[in-house]
Amino acid sequence: MGIADRVSNLLSYQTFKIVQIRNWKLGVIHYATQLLILGFVIGFIIIYKKGYQSQGGLVGNVSIKLKGTAWIIDNNNETQVWDEYDLSPMPSTDTFFLTSNVHTTPRQSRGTCMDPENNITCTQDSDCAGPKSAGEGIMNGICNTTAKQCVLKAWCPMENENENSGIQGLDQMTAFIKVQVYFPNYGIYRNNVNGSAGQLTNNYNLFTVEKLLSMANTNYQEIQKNGGSSIST
């Protein structure tokens, strides 16, 4: 093949010949197949499987900062001020613990006293024969016949949990909840802080303990004595 033939073949133009077959059965099969493929792509892949969306991982964290003061009135009728460091002794990034009730028994020392809760009754010393564990102390063979209770060797005075030393003002402490999310595949960063200055907004990223409890369908008065826990997912 010479050069002229090669150039002629290179510059030639090709087209396809279309043959029209007049057969309605083949036409139905042809268009039905196209509709099935189109329905599969649009209905299953795009709509059902959400093929129009791309997916990517994320990196995020939640940090919580507590602030505020509270107080208790102890057994000596003295007011003690507590701050967030006293009330939340276990630091964490995405959860927090708050003390709602305390029992203080100041100036305890080893000695003999009666248990204010167990009421270990007796009528004579033999009812308190020991040594034997009883309540928060040890029986030592002494009965207080006036009070009709055994006298125990223990740390005295004993703790009385019936004396409620609930912490006041705890429900007005605030929790700043900061959420940060980064999508590395798309270079997108989001957080719940308004503006670059880190503006705090009530009930958006700043909540009182009272508000958080109300969102859990409870209140501070209900959980103050025995405590409670709230888990959010």
Side-chain angles (χ1 to χ4, degrees):
M1 181 180 294
I3 296 177
D5 294 332
R6 292 180 184 274
V7 172
S8 177
N9 290 335
L10 180 64
L11 298 177
S12 64
Y13 173 76
Q14 296 179 354
T15 184
F16 296 97
K17 183 177 181 180
I18 299 176
V19 178
Q20 185 178 16
I21 301 175
R22 297 182 179 277
N23 187 310
W24 69 270
K25 292 182 180 180
L26 292 178
V28 169
I29 294 174
H30 172 73
Y31 288 110
T33 303
Q34 289 184 337
L35 288 175
L36 286 175
I37 296 174
L38 185 63
F40 175 78
V41 173
I42 296 177
F44 183 77
I45 296 180
I46 296 180
I47 298 178
Y48 182 75
K49 287 293 187 178
K50 301 185 185 301
Y52 58 89
Q53 296 179 346
S54 61
Q55 298 180 357
L58 61 86
V59 179
N61 65 77
V62 178
S63 60
I64 302 175
K65 182 178 181 180
L66 297 171
K67 190 174 182 180
T69 56
W71 70 92
I72 64 169
I73 300 176
D74 61 22
N75 297 336
N76 297 321
N77 203 32
E78 296 179 355
T79 301
Q80 298 181 10
V81 177
W82 293 46
D83 61 16
E84 62 270 18
Y85 299 102
D86 300 316
L87 297 171
S88 185
M90 298 185 296
S92 180
T93 57
D94 56 359
T95 185
F96 64 91
F97 169 86
L98 283 173
T99 304
S100 63
N101 196 9
V102 295
H103 296 281
T104 58
T105 309
R107 293 180 287 276
Q108 278 186 315
S109 61
R110 289 188 177 93
T112 56
C113 52
M114 292 179 291
D115 191 328
E117 295 183 16
N118 285 286
N119 295 323
I120 305 171
T121 59
C122 62
T123 56
Q124 53 189 354
D125 290 344
S126 59
D127 295 334
C128 305
K132 179 182 177 182
S133 296
E136 298 296 328
I138 304 295
M139 288 184 179
N140 64 346
I142 300 176
C143 175
N144 185 323
T145 55
T146 301
K148 295 184 178 181
Q149 291 189 38
C150 291
V151 177
L152 308 177
K153 287 186 177 181
W155 283 97
C156 301
M158 292 186 185
E159 181 179 287
N160 187 358
E161 293 188 0
N162 293 324
E163 295 179 355
N164 185 19
S165 299
I167 298 177
Q168 307 299 317
L170 179 68
D171 53 335
Q172 297 306 312
M173 293 185 67
T174 58
F176 170 43
I177 303 177
K178 184 178 181 180
V179 181
Q180 302 177 91
V181 180
Y182 176 64
F183 300 90
N185 288 357
Y186 314 107
I188 297 175
Y189 172 79
R190 294 288 185 269
N191 62 42
N192 67 333
V193 179
N194 290 337
S196 59
Q199 181 180 354
L200 303 180
T201 305
N202 288 330
N203 300 327
Y204 179 72
N205 54 23
L206 185 67
F207 302 87
T208 63
V209 173
E210 180 182 30
K211 178 62 177 180
L212 293 174
L213 291 173
S214 68
M215 294 168 65
N217 298 320
T218 186
N219 57 64
Y220 183 56
Q221 287 69 32
E222 291 182 357
I223 60 96
Q224 182 185 43
K225 182 177 181 180
N226 297 319
S229 61
S230 177
I231 301 175
S232 176
T233 57

